[in-house]
Amino acid sequence: MLHYILQTIAFQLFFLMVYDLFLKRETFFNWNRFYLLFTPIASLVLPLIKIEAFRNVLPQNYIVQLPAVILNPDASTVQTQLLPTVYLKNSSSFWSWEFILYVGIYVSAFIFIFKMFKLFKTINISEKNTASGLTIITLKNSSAAFSFFNYVFLGDAINPKNYQTILAHECVHKSQKHSADLLFFELLRILFWFNPLVYMYQNRMVTLHEYIADALVVKQQDKVTYYQNLLSQVFDVNHISFINPFFKQSLIKKRIIMLTKSKSKQIHLLKYAMLIPMVFAMLLYTSCDKEADNSESTEIQTSKDKIQEKIDKIMEENPNVKIKIIEEDSVIDDDIEVPYSVVEQVPIFPGCEDLPAAEQKGCFSGEISKFVGQNYNIDLATTLGLSGRQRINVLFKIDKSGNITGVRARAPHPKLEEEAIRVINELPKMIPGEQKGIAVTVPYSLPIVFEIKE
């Protein structure tokens, strides 16, 4: 979930930067409204879309290659010993980031409900009149002027000369359903209360709504008169984010500047075509994102398991055939690798050397599991926002000197891989395995399973 949230915020930031740099000064108000409604939705949806064809666009060296299996009686034998699975349970923290996220959602929802309650309470207790299809709510001892759907709130201290201008302005908000836009952003503010970009989106939409209403009203009135109405007085407006204020001090200057601005040339509509390559690039990124595609590692591991089954079957039917697994990036050296199942003397974990040979293997496996369980950072799952069962597959070797080498890991999240590699590299120096009195390298595979409480 954390990775999804970060992608969403990154996409919204990019969309807002494009809007501020290229679009917000244009007079294509309806196009800008579409942009401000479409892009936050696109930011939420795009990280969830995976297009297989886009993934194939990448060069082959960016694609994970399965090991090649070579059957050759003359090849030196390589076989990985599968150690017992290590199961880890995360320590549940009361103050996890998920807990804070949900608390914030509940608090934001409560604040929204409280504002709605105050608004409807005002409607119920105030004097009401009807004009131009609008319900006029008179506010006692107030100079406020704002609207919510077909409700227009006017303070009794407002100059009556401004009534018609305000009503014409608010009729535009009602007919174009501007309040629905703001409620949409209220929903985003509840779900993503921690994301400042949602608040920026809503502020830009409020400004755009005023531009749209002003542009339509001045077609029916003299511009100079309309300017004078805006500048005649600055009204106090209750701070409610989902209403359309007529007089708002921070917007008056912007509205006048936009009213005096020449109409944008039609050629500038081409700027909105930027959405196409932007969305395409984001789809390419999300489709090829390894971290977001948790199924990839599972499929690769399944394929490797099938390969191992085939290898075991071949060795049973042809005991004289030696099998070698070669990775594309492997380097052939002089070290001799002997499979765990046939090596005469297996590597020994420090402290297990005094046990009988029959018990040394069990001691080795037990100590490995104990070491990983004690040293793996089990709080990492909570930090990353993971849930359910997470499987980590680790490959490593104990070389002829007893050192841990060639550590690799595959997991649904890169941080889990990094932590697994770190822990395995910290294993103590082993007593190396021997074949015919010669120290040899022995490869191992260690599955680690995270049991994460929901």
Side-chain angles (χ1 to χ4, degrees):
M1 178 183 287
L2 181 61
H3 185 64
Y4 167 78
I5 291 174
L6 292 177
Q7 281 189 325
T8 298
I9 294 175
F11 290 168
Q12 289 180 354
L13 177 61
F14 183 73
F15 281 132
L16 275 176
M17 290 175 61
V18 171
Y19 179 81
D20 285 348
L21 290 174
F22 301 105
L23 303 177
K24 76 174 183 180
R25 295 177 182 83
E26 301 294 340
T27 60
F28 303 120
F29 302 133
N30 288 326
W31 279 94
N32 281 351
R33 183 185 179 190
F34 168 78
Y35 184 94
L36 291 177
L37 289 174
F38 171 77
T39 53
I41 297 174
S43 300
L44 298 175
V45 175
L46 287 174
L48 303 176
I49 300 176
K50 314 295 176 188
I51 300 178
E52 190 65 28
F54 285 1
R55 183 177 302 176
N56 296 332
V57 172
L58 289 179
Q60 289 298 312
N61 60 332
Y62 285 98
I63 301 176
V64 178
Q65 299 288 343
L66 291 175
V69 179
I70 301 176
L71 301 181
N72 187 343
D74 298 327
S76 54
T77 304
V78 175
Q79 183 180 3
T80 300
Q81 167 65 17
L82 182 64
L83 293 174
T85 302
V86 178
Y87 289 92
L88 302 175
K89 291 187 178 181
N90 70 312
S91 57
S92 57
S93 173
F94 180 77
W95 289 105
S96 65
W97 73 270
E98 286 184 327
F99 174 79
I100 297 174
L101 172 64
Y102 292 130
V103 169
I105 291 176
Y106 293 139
V107 171
S108 299
F110 175 80
I111 293 173
F112 172 72
I113 294 172
F114 179 72
K115 289 180 179 180
M116 291 292 294
F117 172 78
K118 287 182 61 178
L119 189 65
F120 284 107
K121 182 180 178 182
T122 302
I123 294 174
N124 289 330
I125 66 175
S126 301
E127 180 184 344
K128 305 177 188 65
N129 295 295
T130 303
S132 303
L134 300 173
T135 301
I136 312 300
I137 309 297
T138 302
L139 303 177
K140 298 296 183 181
N141 302 318
S142 174
S143 58
F146 59 92
S147 66
F148 180 71
F149 287 100
N150 65 325
Y151 293 101
V152 177
F153 300 79
L154 297 177
D156 56 7
I158 295 177
N159 190 333
K161 295 180 180 180
N162 294 328
Y163 273 23
Q164 292 305 315
T165 299
I166 294 175
L167 289 178
H169 186 94
E170 301 307 331
C171 277
V172 176
H173 288 314
K174 174 200 169 185
S175 63
Q176 300 215 358
K177 298 179 174 60
H178 288 169
S179 295
D181 296 352
L182 300 183
L183 284 181
F184 166 71
F185 285 107
E186 283 297 312
L187 176 61
L188 292 184
R189 284 177 56 165
I190 293 173
L191 297 177
F192 300 95
W193 57 269
F194 52 86
N195 181 6
L197 300 179
V198 174
Y199 301 82
M200 295 171 65
Y201 261 107
Q202 190 177 47
N203 288 336
R204 280 156 178 74
M205 183 60 80
V206 169
T207 303
L208 185 61
H209 284 169
E210 298 309 307
Y211 293 164
I212 294 173
D214 290 341
L216 294 177
V217 172
V218 295
K219 290 181 179 179
Q220 306 169 4
Q221 295 185 9
D222 179 61
K223 279 189 177 183
V224 176
T225 302
Y226 195 74
Y227 297 158
Q228 291 174 348
N229 287 334
L230 285 177
L231 294 173
S232 60
Q233 53 185 319
V234 176
F235 292 90
D236 296 325
V237 177
N238 292 332
H239 184 65
I240 301 177
S241 53
F242 50 83
I243 61 174
N244 294 109
F246 180 75
F247 286 109
K248 189 175 181 181
Q249 187 173 6
S250 60
L251 289 180
I252 288 179
K253 181 179 178 180
K254 294 180 181 178
R255 290 166 63 182
I256 293 176
I257 291 175
M258 190 58 69
L259 281 169
T260 58
K261 185 179 178 62
S262 301
K263 188 176 181 180
S264 299
K265 297 179 180 179
Q266 292 296 309
I267 190 66
H268 291 174
L269 280 172
L270 292 176
K271 291 182 178 181
Y272 297 93
M274 291 187 295
L275 265 178
I276 298 175
M278 287 161 57
V279 171
F280 181 86
M282 291 175 182
L283 280 174
L284 182 63
Y285 169 76
T286 57
S287 297
C288 301
D289 184 36
K290 293 182 180 179
E291 182 172 358
D293 188 4
N294 291 340
S295 61
E296 178 184 356
S297 61
T298 303
E299 293 174 358
I300 292 174
Q301 181 59 36
T302 301
S303 300
K304 289 186 176 182
D305 292 341
K306 291 180 179 179
I307 292 173
Q308 187 62 47
E309 291 177 3
K310 291 181 180 179
I311 292 174
D312 294 339
K313 184 177 180 181
I314 293 171
M315 293 187 68
E316 290 176 3
E317 296 175 353
N318 305 277
N320 294 326
V321 174
K322 297 179 180 180
I323 300 174
K324 188 171 186 178
I325 301 177
I326 302 176
E327 294 277 358
E328 285 196 348
D329 58 350
S330 62
V331 179
I332 299 176
D333 53 29
D334 295 332
D335 287 343
I336 300 174
E337 294 186 7
V338 179
Y340 183 92
S341 59
V342 299
V343 67
E344 294 176 353
Q345 175 58 57
V346 298
I348 302 174
F349 198 97
C352 299
E353 61 270 17
D354 296 331
L355 296 175
E359 299 179 12
Q360 289 179 351
K361 291 184 178 181
C363 180
F364 179 90
S365 299
E367 291 297 325
I368 291 285
S369 299
K370 181 180 177 182
F371 184 90
V372 173
Q374 291 176 344
N375 291 275
Y376 200 99
N377 180 13
I378 57 177
D379 293 330
L380 188 61
T382 301
T383 304
L384 297 175
L386 303 176
S387 61
R389 173 173 288 198
Q390 306 291 327
R391 183 182 177 90
I392 310 164
N393 295 287
V394 185
L395 297 175
F396 67 95
K397 300 175 184 178
I398 300 177
D399 67 12
K400 60 185 179 180
S401 299
N403 298 315
I404 306 299
T405 62
V407 183
R408 292 174 295 167
R410 173 67 63 186
H413 196 288
K415 294 296 183 182
L416 296 180
E417 295 177 1
E418 293 174 7
E419 180 64 9
I421 292 173
R422 180 192 69 80
V423 172
I424 297 302
N425 276 323
E426 290 182 357
L427 283 168
K429 186 173 183 178
M430 309 291 177
I431 300 173
E434 294 183 359
Q435 185 74 6
K436 299 186 183 301
I438 300 175
V440 294
T441 298
V442 180
Y444 290 87
S445 174
L446 176 67
I448 304 174
V449 175
F450 243 131
E451 294 284 358
I452 302 169
K453 297 179 182 179
E454 297 287 348

